[in-house]
Amino acid sequence: NADLSPLLNLYQAGRKDGTFEDGIEMALRGILVSPGFLFRIEHDPPKTAAGSVYRINDIELASRLSFFLWSSIPDTELLDLAANGRLRSELGKQVQRMLQDKRSESLVNNFAAQWLYLRDLEAKNPDEVLFPDFDENLRAAFMKETELFFQSMVREDRSILDLFRADYTFVNE
């Protein structure tokens, strides 16, 4: 009921000067701008001293794992394991399963792009005299090559040191 009360107040405020649809719209706007909708909020356990270290519960672990690897909420399998207290014992298996899933591409698109500054690539403009063949196709190829390389490292469980010592890459024609 505590969750519904603010929404009903918004609905009634929208409905007061308008129609049923206006009330619903006002309540939906309230949901869409609420911190609980916009942010993934975690609360420290009760009576935990500020700055202290504590073990997160399995549901929080499932959520963190899923948002890191998939940039999305946990799936049913992950949540079921967490709810039954079995996620930690199957953590390695679940990570492998999640990395094989197509949704793990967001790890490359989000994490690697931020970590390796791929998002800044569009702002870089090499000297046209020194690099006369540089164009937007080459810029896109740079980005795709790096994404494919990072993705192969993750999917094949390669060492992070392969960023420096790999004897392979991905190229187009």
Side-chain angles (χ1 to χ4, degrees):
N1 195 22
D3 290 338
L4 287 179
S5 187
L7 295 176
L8 287 174
N9 291 339
L10 287 170
Y11 165 78
Q12 290 166 350
R15 178 75 195 257
K16 179 180 163 189
D17 297 324
T19 64
F20 171 79
E21 287 81 12
D22 293 330
I24 295 295
E25 180 182 342
M26 182 72 80
L28 283 173
R29 285 180 184 222
I31 291 170
L32 295 175
V33 300
S34 70
F37 181 80
L38 294 172
F39 304 104
R40 190 174 50 86
I41 299 172
E42 293 181 359
H43 300 283
D44 293 341
K47 300 179 183 176
T48 302
S52 65
V53 177
Y54 60 90
R55 186 178 188 143
I56 61 174
N57 66 43
D58 281 11
I59 297 292
E60 291 168 332
L61 177 59
S63 180
R64 289 182 184 192
L65 185 62
S66 185
F67 276 99
F68 178 66
L69 296 179
W70 289 346
S71 296
S72 184
I73 60 174
D75 64 357
T76 303
E77 182 174 342
L78 204 58
L79 284 175
D80 286 347
L81 287 169
N84 293 318
R86 295 189 353 246
L87 179 56
R88 289 181 199 280
S89 65
E90 294 191 28
L91 193 57
K93 179 181 171 186
Q94 288 302 308
V95 168
Q96 288 303 317
R97 176 186 72 85
M98 294 173 75
L99 288 174
Q100 296 306 315
D101 190 290
K102 185 167 178 61
R103 289 173 280 188
S104 70
E105 289 177 11
S106 66
L107 177 64
V108 173
N109 299 336
N110 293 327
F111 176 75
Q114 182 177 357
W115 181 47
L116 300 173
Y117 296 96
L118 297 178
R119 294 177 179 159
D120 294 347
L121 195 56
E122 288 187 30
K124 306 299 181 202
N125 294 306
D127 185 301
E128 293 176 10
V129 174
L130 293 174
F131 303 99
D133 295 330
F134 187 87
D135 60 9
E136 291 307 310
N137 289 330
L138 186 56
R139 183 187 314 268
F142 282 162
M143 188 157 200
K144 189 65 174 176
E145 174 185 341
T146 307
E147 289 172 349
L148 289 170
F149 181 75
F150 184 80
Q151 185 177 45
S152 78
M153 289 181 57
V154 170
R155 292 250 164 96
E156 297 165 21
D157 197 21
R158 293 181 173 270
S159 168
I160 194 68
L161 296 175
D162 279 358
L163 282 173
F164 306 106
R165 65 180 185 203
D167 60 356
Y168 71 98
T169 191
F170 295 83
V171 296
N172 62 13
E173 63 278 347

